[in-house]
Every structure is written in C-alpha cells, then in structure tokens.
Amino acid sequence: DAACLPCHAVQGYREGDIRGGLSVLGPMAEADRALAENSRTLVLSAVAIVTVVMLALYVLVRRMVVAPVGRLKAVAVAVGQGDHTAQVHLHTGDELEMLGETMNQMVASLKASHDALQERVERRTGELAALSEVALAISRAGVLQDMLKEALDTVLQASRADGGAIHLAAEQDGFRLAASKGLPAPVVACLASLRPGEGCIGLVIANGQPLYAADLAKEIWAGVCPGRACPAPAVGYRSLATVPLSSRNRTLGTLTLLRRIPEGFSPEMVQLLACIGHQLGVAAENARFHAQAEQVAILEERHRIARELHDSLAQTLG
C-alpha cells in the first residue's frame, strides 16, 4: 500500500507487491460439536423454562380462578338445593372476591325472603286453622254461651292475646258481657258495666267497624274510646283490637282482645278477627232465630192444648 512505502521502501518494496501470506487453521469439527451441544442445551433449557412457566401458570390460575369459581359454584348448587346458610369466603383481592361478597349478600337476602315467606305461610296456616276451629266450635256447640266461650278460647290461642271478651247486643241498643277469659277483675267489671255509647264496645256497635289501638300507653284512651276510661292500660295492657259480630249488615255484638305488648295485632290479624267476628255474628243470629223458633213452637203448642181443652170442655158442657 502507498502508506507502507515510507518505511518499507528501503527494503525494495513497491506499491502492489505481495511478499508473503498468513494461514490460520481452526478445528471446525469441534466448533460444530460445541455449537450443537449449545443448541441442545438451549432447546432443553427453553423447554424446561416453558414447562415451569406453564406449571406455574396452571397452579396460579387454578388457585386464583378455578378454585374460587368452584367454591362459588358449590354455594350456588347448595342454595339451589335449599340450603340458605351456605356462604363463600374468598380472599383473592380481585373481582372474584367482590363476586363472592355479592353472592353472600344475595344468599342472605334469599334466606330473609324465605324466612319471611315461611312465616307468612305458617301464620296463614294458623289463621285457617283458627277459622276452622271456630267453625267447628260453632257447629258442635248447642248453647250460645258455651259456643262463645269455646270460640273465645280458640281466638285467644290463635292471636296470642292475653285476654278477651265477647259482648252481645241487647234490647234498646244496649249490650251485655257474654264471655270473658284472661282478664283481671277490674277490667271485667268495667266491660260488664259499660252503657250504650261508652268504650270501644259502644263505638264499634254504633259504627260497625273494627277498632285497633296500637299502644294504649301513648294514646289518649278517651280519644280512642269515648265515655268512661277503661282500666286496661293501668293493669299493663298495651294494645287492643275490637271487631264487630256482624250478620246481614247488622252488628250483633263485639269481640275484644287485649295484649300486654304494643303493636300486638298486625293488620292481617285484625282482618282475621273481623272474619271470625262475622262467623260469630252469624252463629249468634242463628241462635236467636233458634230460640225464637222454640218460643213460637211452645206458644203454638200452648194454644193447641188450650184449644183442645176449650173444645172438650165446651162439648162436655153442651
């Protein structure tokens, strides 16, 4: 090269001269073998790394997804089979944990709804049983007084009332105490001495509508029931329900129940008492018709005997 001549021109070199060469020999077979071994090692390492990663992903997915979903499925199956106490507790820290909490709330709501529905069914069943027992007492009792006492016992058990009384309408717009149970003597004396227009009995007989006092301790008694004040709040009674005994749009008496707890009668219970009052009213009217029929029959028999005696005596004298 021209750049080499300043130093090598003295040796007789000229530009473009070739005076020698360098040959390097390498063991390529060993290099190829080493490269092949390295390639196999890399492939095996890659396969091992991929396998470990896949196993790690499988364990992670199974732990973080499959297992929580399986527990959610188990709770859903248990709820579907009627187990409303099943709960799932996940601690994944993600949306699955939120889904588990939502499912627990849903199960709790279902349990509350199921319990409420079961309670309503049991309450309705008890109401139907009470109506059936009252109807049975009405059908098998021959005397009105006995029928009213038996019906009052049944109503007290069905309504869980602490005491009750039945009044029947009397002559000249009055009423009388026909039956009572579970009431202290002062309350019985007050209910027995009420005059027309006084107390809840007089008010219900006058307007023919049920009357319900949720808490006697907080309400002004005179405002609820006009006339003389009743001693029921003073002896511990807190709630009252009075329904008419009606038949053919006529009020023939009242059914009064007392409890020692406030809000003691639900609207459904007041409605049931009104139905029972209607049945008792029909029974009372039938009993009155039966008594009147008996009196008419007795009078007719007396007239017949009188006629026969009169005819026989007149014929004998004639």
Side-chain angles (χ1 to χ4, degrees):
D1 193 357
C4 301
L5 293 179
C7 296
H8 295 282
V10 294
Q11 297 176 356
Y13 284 97
R14 290 179 297 178
E15 185 178 354
D17 287 348
I18 297 176
R19 296 299 179 97
L22 178 64
S23 176
V24 179
L25 299 177
M28 297 305 297
E30 296 181 1
D32 292 338
R33 186 171 54 254
L35 288 176
E37 292 179 356
N38 291 335
S39 298
R40 287 194 299 270
T41 303
L42 289 175
V43 171
L44 293 176
S45 299
V47 171
I49 292 174
V50 170
T51 303
V52 171
V53 171
M54 292 297 294
L55 289 175
L57 288 176
Y58 173 78
V59 173
L60 184 63
V61 170
R62 185 174 182 81
R63 180 178 178 181
M64 300 298 295
V65 178
V66 177
V69 170
R71 294 168 65 181
L72 291 172
K73 179 182 178 182
V75 171
V77 172
V79 173
Q81 294 176 352
D83 183 9
H84 296 96
T85 62
Q87 295 285 319
V88 60
H89 301 285
L90 303 177
H91 303 284
T92 58
D94 54 7
E95 288 78 5
L96 289 176
E97 182 175 353
M98 296 176 60
L99 179 60
E101 294 177 355
T102 304
M103 179 171 287
N104 291 335
Q105 295 176 2
M106 181 189 69
V107 173
S109 300
L110 286 176
K111 184 177 184 302
S113 300
H114 180 270
D115 293 342
L117 181 60
Q118 185 70 23
E119 183 180 358
R120 291 183 61 185
V121 170
E122 292 177 356
R123 186 167 60 249
R124 292 298 184 185
T125 303
E127 293 174 358
L128 292 176
L131 286 173
S132 177
E133 292 180 4
V134 170
L136 181 61
I138 292 174
S139 63
R140 69 188 178 190
V143 182
L144 178 61
Q145 191 74 18
D146 297 337
M147 181 272 293
L148 293 178
K149 290 182 179 180
E150 188 173 355
L152 181 59
D153 291 340
T154 302
V155 173
L156 289 177
Q157 294 177 4
S159 62
R160 300 180 182 177
D162 299 305
I166 295 178
H167 286 77
L168 291 179
E171 299 295 335
Q172 298 178 354
D173 297 332
F175 48 85
R176 62 180 179 86
L177 181 62
S180 65
K181 184 176 181 180
L183 298 176
V187 178
V188 174
C190 175
L191 294 176
S193 62
L194 289 173
R195 294 173 295 180
E198 288 185 343
C200 296
I201 291 85
L203 184 62
V204 172
I205 288 180
N207 57 27
Q209 297 296 326
L211 186 145
Y212 172 57
D215 194 345
L216 299 177
K218 295 181 180 179
E219 297 179 9
I220 301 176
W221 182 261
V224 176
C225 296
R228 192 183 349 158
C230 181
V235 294
Y237 292 103
R238 300 291 301 276
S239 56
L240 173 143
T242 301
V243 297
L245 308 185
S246 58
S247 176
R248 298 181 182 180
N249 296 326
R250 293 174 53 199
T251 302
L252 304 177
T254 60
L255 169 64
T256 302
L257 299 180
L258 291 165
R259 294 196 69 179
R260 298 185 181 275
I261 59 174
E263 304 290 342
F265 301 98
S266 63
E268 293 82 4
M269 179 56 64
V270 175
Q271 185 178 4
L272 172 64
L273 295 177
C275 295
I276 294 176
H278 179 69
Q279 287 188 345
L280 294 178
V282 173
E285 188 173 25
N286 291 337
R288 287 185 178 182
F289 288 157
H290 184 69
Q292 291 176 1
E294 288 183 350
Q295 292 179 359
V296 170
I298 291 174
L299 290 176
E300 290 180 352
E301 183 66 17
R302 288 178 179 177
H303 288 311
R304 185 185 64 80
I305 294 175
R307 285 195 304 270
E308 289 180 356
L309 290 174
H310 180 269
D311 294 341
S312 298
L313 182 59
Q315 290 175 1
T316 302
L317 291 177

